[in-house]
Amino acid sequence: MTTVFPAWDLPSVPVAGTGARFPVRHVYCVGRNYAEHAKEMGGDAAREPPFFFTKPADAVLPVVAPEVGSMAYPLATKNLHHEIELVVAIGGRGVNLPPERALEIVFGYAVGLDMTRRDLQNDMREKKRPWDIGKSFAEAAPIGRIHPVAAVGHPATGLIWLDVNGARRQQGDLADMIWDVAHTLHFLSQYYELLPGDLVYSGTPSGVGAVAAGDRLEGGIDRLGTLSIVIAPPRS
Ligand code: MN
């Protein structure tokens, strides 16, 4: 194929235990999937169906522990928030998946961060406009290695945590998710054909908060390792 300017690399994420990488197609995210976080965002903990938003595939920022990744403080915000999340990596396809079959299309799991320009998100929410500029921007989706189901199974319980500069900010348990992974994929596959290469950020526990340039974020999930990034100065 001849391109009018050099094509960029396909976004991809390293897979644990192999030299191969997971090519990224779509990035889906779940809103308010832990009751305590739903409350801190001004909602209630009623069990409504989940809702979804997206990030562009090139927002994925792969970081392979023990490396520490670097994310430039994004443009146009004064309130960059961290959201530590379990990421589901899809390896099969499906629409209208019943919950009892939804896990069959999962390739693996990773630790991820749904970085958020909270001020822009809140502005848009108040004006009933789309959230895109709050959630979709360069490097908005840091992610650690993907661990295949063959190695780690389907983690349904386990500690999920995030420290900023060594102080605990977020802590929860995967068992506290309002909708587990099977139900999340059940609902998501009613709106989109899930395809190999899709990533699903499954929501964050409570304790979200702001970070600044120079801050070091380190998070982890039992069995899935850790993810560390430093916030670099904004690009000029
Ligand atoms: Mn999130």
Side-chain angles (χ1 to χ4, degrees):
M1 179 177 61
T2 304
T3 54
V4 294
F5 43 79
W8 49 93
D9 290 338
L10 181 68
S12 66
V13 182
V15 175
T18 166
R21 298 175 72 93
F22 179 94
V24 179
R25 192 188 300 252
H26 301 111
V27 180
Y28 299 107
C29 304
V30 186
R32 297 186 194 169
N33 200 24
Y34 291 75
E36 291 305 312
H37 173 62
K39 284 186 213 162
E40 77 182 349
M41 293 304 293
D44 60 38
R47 199 165 191 239
E48 296 172 346
F51 64 92
F52 303 101
F53 57 93
T54 64
K55 293 177 187 258
D58 67 0
V60 165
L61 176 65
V63 179
V64 179
E67 285 172 22
V68 177
S70 174
M71 171 190 178
Y73 195 91
L75 300 173
T77 183
K78 293 184 168 59
N79 198 16
L80 176 66
H81 272 209
H82 53 76
E83 298 189 358
I84 188 77
E85 309 204 354
L86 171 70
V87 184
V88 186
I90 303 297
R93 68 158 295 282
V95 294
N96 294 317
L97 293 165
E100 60 275 15
R101 302 214 45 193
L103 295 183
E104 294 173 9
I105 69 162
V106 176
F107 172 81
Y109 296 90
V111 180
L113 280 163
D114 166 15
M115 300 302 290
T116 302
R117 297 192 285 203
R118 191 73 73 200
D119 43 359
L120 299 183
Q121 181 200 21
N122 288 343
D123 281 355
M124 294 298 109
R125 196 173 66 179
E126 282 163 22
K127 292 172 181 161
K128 301 192 182 212
R129 291 176 182 170
W131 284 13
D132 299 46
I133 62 168
K135 290 291 193 177
S136 300
F137 51 90
E139 303 174 327
I143 186 171
R145 272 188 196 86
I146 293 171
H147 296 263
V149 168
V152 297
H154 296 279
T157 64
L159 193 66
I160 176 170
W161 56 273
L162 179 85
D163 292 349
V164 177
N165 302 328
R168 186 62 40 104
R169 288 274 191 95
Q170 291 190 263
Q171 184 166 306
D173 193 288
L174 297 180
D176 299 333
M177 290 169 73
I178 295 172
W179 294 105
D180 64 16
V181 171
H183 283 84
T184 296
L185 300 182
H186 162 67
F187 286 110
L188 184 60
S189 69
Q190 295 171 18
Y191 296 98
Y192 302 100
E193 179 183 8
L194 298 180
L195 291 165
D198 291 351
L199 296 175
V200 183
Y201 282 63
S202 63
T204 196
S206 61
V208 300
V211 289
D215 284 347
R216 178 175 170 142
L217 288 62
E218 181 172 22
I221 298 173
D222 285 353
R223 290 194 280 168
L224 301 180
T226 60
L227 166 63
S228 299
I229 61 168
V230 167
I231 308 296
R235 290 211 173 80
S236 55

